[in-house]
Amino acid sequence: QQQVRQSPQSLTVWEGETAILNCSYEDSTFDYFPWYHQFPGESPALLIAIRPVSNKKEDGRFTIFFNKREKKFSLHIADSQPGDSATYFCAASNQGGSAKLIFGEGTKLTVSS
Amino acid sequence: EAAVTQSPRNKVTVTGGNVTLSCRQTNSHNYMYWYRQDTGHGLRLIHYSYGAGNLQIGDVPDGYKATRTTQEDFFLLLELASPSQTSLYFCASGGDTSNTGQLYFGEGSKLTVL
């Protein structure tokens, strides 16, 4: 069973637009929600993360919006650039428990110029 | 800079073959993980460990064994490899609250089972 679900599977936006990637989860004990990105031929790397004490986390052009009631969180990439083209994975874990990090299926983002 | 090194980077074997994937981390992290990456499935957790001698079952453990011999070294064993285990395997370290929960991934090991 997929505990973390991600959509869309692929997304194409124009340079300068805001890309929105979505995730949902099932386990209410999850307390850590990171986003990783992976460029072709490379390993996944942490982009940004949030803990549910807040409902928004910003880092430059990247923002996580978190909705605990609906068990959803999203990544917004403002002013998208061709260099942002990559596969993005959301994930979730219970840091106070097993620290097992569960990933979503991934969203392949293409930014066209 | 966190460092996780995997070997071999590429491996081809036949059905029924015996494969060992190795991972070494020099980050002094307690947690180490083995994931497989397949298109449409993202990264799926096979096994993980929070210290030498410890092993925790992940979400897709069937057909895989793992052993954590030291804090630095974590091995993934496929004793009777099958074509369904053809995949890109990633090792990672980190994940506990002492280092903000971030995982540091190795370069990946591409396994092909014919």
Side-chain angles (χ1 to χ4, degrees), chain A residues 29 31 93-99, chain B residues 97:
Chain A
T29 67
D31 58 6
S93 73
N94 177 357
Q95 289 285 289
S98 69
Chain B
T97 53

Side-chain angles (χ1 to χ4, degrees), chain A residues 7-27:
Chain A
S7 64
Q9 194 170 22
S10 64
L11 176 66
T12 299
V13 298
W14 291 105
E15 183 175 357
E17 291 185 333
T18 296
I20 300 175
L21 290 66
N22 300 298
C23 261
S24 63
Y25 63 97
E26 298 175 1
D27 190 336

